[in-house]
Amino acid sequence: MIALLVLLSLLFLWVLVSDRLARWSITAPITFAVAGMLLSGGDDPVVAIDMDTHTFQRGLELVLAVMLFTDATEARDYAPRLRGSVGMGRLLGIALPASLVLAVLAGALVFPGTGWWLLAVAALVVMPMDLAPVLMFLRDTRVPLRVRAALNIEGGFNDGLISPLFVFCVANIVSAEGDTFADLVLNALKGVVFATIVGSVLGYLASVAVRWSFEHHWAKTANLRFAALALPFLAYSASVLIDGNGFVAAFVAGLWYANTVLVVGGESLVLVEDIGHLLALSVWYAFGALTTQAFNGGHVPQLLAYAVLVLIVARFVPVVASLARSDFTRPERVAIGWLGPRGVTSIVFAVLAYLQLPSDEADFVVNVTAATVLLSVILHGATAEPLARWFARHPQPAEPAAGSDR
């Protein structure tokens, strides 16, 4: 109860000064992370948070489920902006796998002797994007629309694609001796298939029901916001009950529900988006508390080197290379490649790994995540505004009809 009181008080105070802090590039994630470090970190915290509980783990999973749902709905909303462009297929089909491979290789280079499965888990934790730290950049009209659309769609889909791989790799580390690799692969595939079925069925039925209710004037958009809020929780819970992947189920349900949003209006998502932002801030607070436990074992130069390689080489090179000869100009390709901020998805994955992996492996994942996310907050937060100013001074060629909003 004390932790809840602190979080809500902090939220209230931050809202009062949010615009003033924004001038200094102090965002809500930064504020809550610092508060977590000061109030709940260390050996004798002012506000203790027990992370080693089943309830805490389920709570984190639900936060990610809500975020994946909203990402899916937003990604589908931006998709018409890039219709006819080959860029998105390359970002998700070429750049993302290449980035994961490079992140694993970077880990092997910086941390020689570390197991490949653990390096894979670390790569899957630190590679997903979270656009919250650069949210103002995505709303900035000085930035070409197709750049913002590409980042939104990529950010919406990449964590949904990565989540089943993360679950699979963690299972390979913590699996019982009797489980063979084939058993783990089969279980992972079953989880994805069950989740896809659950997400599709619930998402389709919810879409039909909500549209029918709206078109026959049985419910107003204001009330339908509660339906959108309930859907990711329903999809996650139903999938987990049958041993499916709750993350995938929530994401798939969001893809189906996105079509309904086009009919009933974007206002129907306001509540679930606001709840998602609030839950995300609680994750940033927990990250701040967990970060104080990082770096205790030393190896700070190695951790920073890994973070630099992940944020710059593993992200930038595959993205820019994959978008060559696409509709994007060179400055746009550079901007998309550079802006790959890390945040809540990485934090949730790291905490889940911390709760499931043996202590040494858990500490390793927390350390690399802390270094990567903290460096990302600094680098991407400091460069978003200069990038927007650069685009304002250097207008890009008109977007093709398929990718414009004219």
Side-chain angles (χ1 to χ4, degrees):
M1 188 59 69
I2 295 179
L4 179 62
L5 177 63
V6 169
L7 284 172
L8 293 178
S9 300
L10 182 61
L11 175 65
F12 182 83
L13 294 174
W14 177 82
V15 168
L16 297 180
V17 296
S18 56
D19 285 347
R20 174 67 63 177
L21 293 178
R23 300 178 186 177
W24 304 323
S25 297
I26 301 177
T27 62
I30 295 176
T31 304
F32 275 73
V34 172
M37 293 179 187
L38 297 177
L39 299 177
S40 297
D43 296 329
D44 189 20
V46 178
V47 181
I49 298 179
D50 187 3
M51 299 186 185
D52 298 318
T53 64
H54 182 73
T55 301
F56 184 82
Q57 178 178 338
R58 284 297 187 205
L60 282 176
E61 292 176 353
L62 286 171
V63 172
L64 185 55
V66 172
M67 293 184 59
L68 289 169
F69 175 84
T70 56
D71 284 347
T73 57
E74 293 174 359
R76 287 290 294 269
D77 183 53
Y78 276 91
R81 309 295 188 183
L82 295 175
R83 187 169 295 150
S85 172
V86 299
M88 286 316 305
R90 294 181 182 182
L91 282 175
L92 297 173
I94 299 176
L96 180 58
S99 294
L100 292 172
V101 171
L102 287 179
V104 172
L105 295 178
L109 176 65
V110 178
F111 304 104
T114 305
W116 288 104
W117 283 116
L118 184 57
L119 292 176
V121 169
L124 292 166
V125 168
V126 300
M127 288 311 299
M129 292 171 55
D130 175 23
L131 299 174
V134 293
L135 192 58
M136 297 306 297
F137 181 88
L138 299 177
R139 297 174 178 173
D140 198 324
T141 56
R142 295 173 296 178
V143 182
L145 176 61
R146 57 188 170 193
V147 171
R148 290 179 281 140
L151 288 170
N152 266 286
I153 296 174
E154 185 190 5
F157 278 90
N158 72 352
D159 44 6
L161 296 174
I162 286 175
S163 62
L165 295 176
F166 166 78
V167 173
F168 171 72
C169 290
V170 170
N172 271 278
I173 298 177
V174 301
S175 63
E177 295 181 0
D179 293 335
T180 65
F181 180 78
D183 292 332
L184 294 171
V185 171
L186 180 60
N187 289 334
L189 290 177
K190 286 170 58 179
V192 172
V193 171
F194 290 166
T196 302
I197 294 174
V198 170
S200 297
V201 171
L202 288 179
Y204 173 75
L205 292 178
S207 298
V208 171
V210 168
R211 292 180 65 169
W212 190 93
S213 178
F214 178 78
E215 293 170 351
H216 289 78
H217 307 289
W218 279 34
K220 297 180 180 179
T221 303
N223 292 329
L224 293 176
R225 291 180 298 176
F226 292 97
L229 175 61
L231 187 53
F233 293 100
L234 288 172
Y236 172 87
S237 302
S239 180
V240 170
L241 284 176
I242 61 172
D243 295 327
N245 187 309
F247 303 140
V248 174
F251 183 75
V252 172
L255 293 177
W256 281 96
Y257 197 75
N259 295 321
T260 298
V261 175
L262 299 177
V263 176
V264 301
E267 297 84 1
S268 62
L269 291 177
V270 170
L271 182 59
V272 67
E273 289 174 346
D274 287 343
I275 295 296
H277 290 319
L278 179 60
L279 294 175
L281 292 179
S282 67
V283 173
W284 280 101
Y285 184 92
F287 172 70
L290 191 62
T291 299
T292 60
Q293 302 179 27
F295 316 128
N296 289 333
H299 309 294
V300 174
Q302 289 176 278
L303 293 169
L304 291 177
Y306 178 77
V308 170
L309 290 174
V310 165
L311 292 174
I312 299 178
V313 179
R315 161 73 187 175
F316 185 83
V317 174
V319 169
V320 174
S322 67
L323 293 179
R325 298 184 181 180
S326 67
D327 298 334
F328 297 98
T329 64
R330 179 179 297 177
E332 290 172 346
R333 296 197 298 270
V334 171
I336 296 171
W338 171 248
L339 284 177
R342 311 304 199 270
V344 173
T345 304
S346 294
I347 297 170
V348 172
F349 282 166
V351 176
L352 293 177
Y354 173 79
L355 296 174
Q356 299 178 48
L357 295 179
S359 58
D360 291 341
E361 287 85 349
D363 291 341
F364 173 79
V365 173
V366 169
N367 286 341
V368 297
T369 304
T372 304
V373 173
L374 289 174
L375 187 60
S376 172
V377 169
I378 296 172
L379 292 180
H380 294 121
T383 56
E385 174 61 23
L387 268 176
R389 289 200 298 265
W390 189 93
F391 277 117
R393 294 193 302 268
H394 303 84
Q396 301 301 292
E399 300 178 8
S404 70
D405 63 338
R406 292 175 292 178

